[in-house]
Structure formats: C-alpha cells, structure tokens
Amino acid sequence: MPNYIVFLGPPGAGKGTQAKILAEELGVPQVSTGDLFRAMKTQNTPLARRVQEIMARGDLVPDDLTIQMVKERLAEADCERGCLLDGFPRTVAQAEALDELLQNTFHSQVGIVPLMRISEEEAVRRISGRRSCPTCGRVYHIDNDPPKVEGRCDVDGTELVHRADDEPEVVRQRYQVYLKNTAPLIDYYLDKGVLAEIDATQPIETVAADLKAAVQKAIPAK
Ligand code: AP5
C-alpha cells in the first residue's frame, strides 16, 4: 500500500527543507504545491498569470484548481509507492478531497501528519534569509544553512533566488492565511489519530532526526 505523509505548518516552518531530506531517505517524491504553482510561471496563459498574482499577494489558489493539479501529480508513476505532500492540503475542503482520492483511487490513506510550528516573527526571520534553487527546489538559509558556494545551488549550480512572496509583509499575510484556513487541519488530523507534533524550532538536523523517528513509528514498514 502506498504511503502518504502530509507536512503541516506555517510558512518558514521547514516543511520544504525536511520534505526534501525525508524524500531522499524514503525514496519517494516530494510533492510541493508551491513548487508546482511556481513552475507555471513559464506558461504565459491567463490562468498562470492569475496564479502568480494570487501567490504574490500571499493568498491561497482556489481549491478546485489546486485539487485537480494534485490529482494529476499523484497519478504519475513516481508516486506509485506514495509521496510527501508539502503545502497540501491547506484547507479542510482540500483535506477531504485528498482523503477521497486516496481511498477511492489508491486504496490508501494519510499515514502521518508531521505538524511543525514556529512563531510569526521566526517565520519572517527565516524567510528573509531564505534562498531557493529555481531548478531543483532545494532551499538554503544565508546563516542557518548556507550553500557551499555563495549564491549557487549545491546540487546543480543554479543561481539561487529570493522568492517574490518572501517580502516580510507578504510572509505576514501568508502566516495569517495559515492561521485562518490551514490551522483547522490540526483538529482534522488529530481526530484521525495521525498528527505528530515535531519541535520545528530546533536545528535542521535535530528536526530531521525527530521526524524520521516519528515516521518510522507511524509507518514501521518504511
Ligand atoms: P509554499 O511554497 O508551500 O510556501 P509556504 O507553505 O508558505 O511555505 P514555505 O515554502 O514558505 O516554508 P517552508 O515551511 O517550506 O520552509 P522552508 O523549508 O523553505 O506556497 C507558496 C504559495 O503557493 C502560497 O502562499 C499559495 O499562494 C500557493 N499555494 C501552495 N500550496 C497551496 C495550496 N495547497 N492551496 C492553495 N494555494 C497554495 O524553510 C524556510 C527557511 O528557513 C529556509 O531558508 C530554511 O533554510 C530555513 N530553515 C528551515 N528549517 C530551519 C530550522 N530548523 N532552523 C533554522 N532555519 C531553518
């Protein structure tokens, strides 16, 4: 049965950082809806432009569009054994759609939901120092997790960028959107018995070790 892991937490909590580390350990892909939407940037269509505008404001892309995109991504061959969902679901409607999809199409369910919490101030601090690779999606921090060569991705050498939605006022808006729309998923997954709180304020390696232990406990076969 494929395994699905859902990363939950506000902007800057380290979802992308940890999903990348764990994806390598488990040999399953990281599916980041943020990365999928950012990849639409190259398409010069009205829909792609609308998505970029919504993201630049720090608001959520509509559920129907997001759910359809995830359905298509999960049907791809590399997700056969499951995947790490980073940034999805973000609303109760998305969580319900995911449950339905996993049950009806993949005869599976969400195995564990690591919850990573940080304060709004820490989110702003971390994200101001974030640099991202537009090619492979690897994220760095200028102080906490710098690349080996300044401004260049360790993996593929691409020039690192500061995301358009990483300005402090947009990060604060994204944090408020998280509290209003996504935080209700904490109770949703608590009720299902799959929530596992991880102390996201620790150093990256410690968070990774805690996460690995929680996943091994919840999904012993892995
Ligand atoms: P998305 O790309 O998913 O952004 P996010 O959820 O706001 O999360 P971030 O990527 O900002 O943070 P992260 O938790 O991954 O932290 P990271 O590991 O990078 O979404 C962007 C936009 O797309 C949304 O605003 C929305 O418009 C749209 N969207 C996406 N999904 C959607 C959905 N499902 N529905 C509707 N709309 C959707 O780490 C941050 C920084 O901190 C890095 O520099 C990192 O090096 C550093 N760091 C990480 N861990 C630590 C640590 N333990 N200690 C110190 N520094 C650390």
Side-chain angles (χ1 to χ4, degrees):
M1 191 166 83
N3 285 310
Y4 299 93
I5 299 173
V6 167
F7 283 81
L8 198 58
K15 304 181 297 295
T17 301
Q18 296 298 336
K20 270 218 153 16
I21 297 172
L22 195 60
E24 266 176 37
E25 296 245 359
L26 300 180
V28 293
Q30 167 200 16
V31 172
S32 157
T33 40
D35 285 349
L36 291 171
F37 285 134
R38 276 183 288 279
M40 286 173 76
K41 224 188 231 170
T42 52
Q43 305 164 12
N44 194 16
T45 62
L47 178 63
R49 283 196 293 275
R50 191 172 147 227
V51 167
Q52 301 312 310
E53 279 165 22
I54 293 170
M55 291 175 78
R57 287 199 306 268
D59 293 334
L60 293 182
V61 177
D63 282 340
D64 53 351
L65 181 63
T66 307
I67 291 165
Q68 185 54 34
M69 186 179 70
V70 170
K71 275 187 183 167
E72 288 172 16
R73 180 65 187 90
L74 264 52
E76 288 178 27
D78 64 332
C79 292
E80 207 170 43
R81 293 177 50 235
C83 67
L84 308 180
L85 287 157
D86 161 16
F88 180 91
R90 256 176 155 99
T91 63
V92 171
Q94 290 181 13
E96 288 169 349
L98 176 65
D99 284 346
E100 202 184 302
L101 174 73
L102 297 187
Q103 260 165 35
N104 298 344
T105 309
F106 302 108
H107 311 292
S108 189
Q109 59 198 20
V110 171
I112 179 170
V113 179
L115 168 63
M116 302 165 69
R117 289 198 246 219
I118 56 164
S119 68
E120 185 174 331
E121 290 318 308
E122 177 66 2
V124 171
R125 196 192 68 75
R126 283 189 186 180
I127 289 179
S128 336
R130 170 165 59 189
R131 299 293 178 270
S132 314
C133 173
T135 303
C136 73
R138 164 83 159 85
V139 292
Y140 300 85
H141 189 279
I142 50 174
D143 302 318
N144 303 334
D145 186 19
K148 292 191 182 90
V149 177
E150 196 184 329
R152 295 270 164 199
C153 179
D154 292 352
V155 181
D156 49 43
T158 306
E159 192 175 344
L160 301 176
V161 297
H162 191 53
R163 268 168 45 182
D165 61 344
D166 280 355
E167 294 307 318
E169 61 281 13
V170 184
V171 176
R172 288 188 192 282
Q173 166 64 8
R174 282 160 53 200
Y175 199 96
Q176 292 308 314
V177 167
Y178 164 81
L179 291 180
K180 181 165 175 254
N181 298 283
T182 310
L185 293 182
I186 296 173
D187 280 344
Y188 182 90
Y189 286 120
L190 201 56
D191 286 349
K192 291 185 183 291
V194 288
L195 197 80
E197 180 139 17
I198 306 291
D199 181 356
T201 63
Q202 306 174 98
I204 293 174
E205 301 71 33
T206 317
V207 177
D210 286 2
L211 197 52
K212 190 176 169 189
V215 169
Q216 279 172 341
K217 199 170 152 207
I219 311 174
K222 286 282 157 192

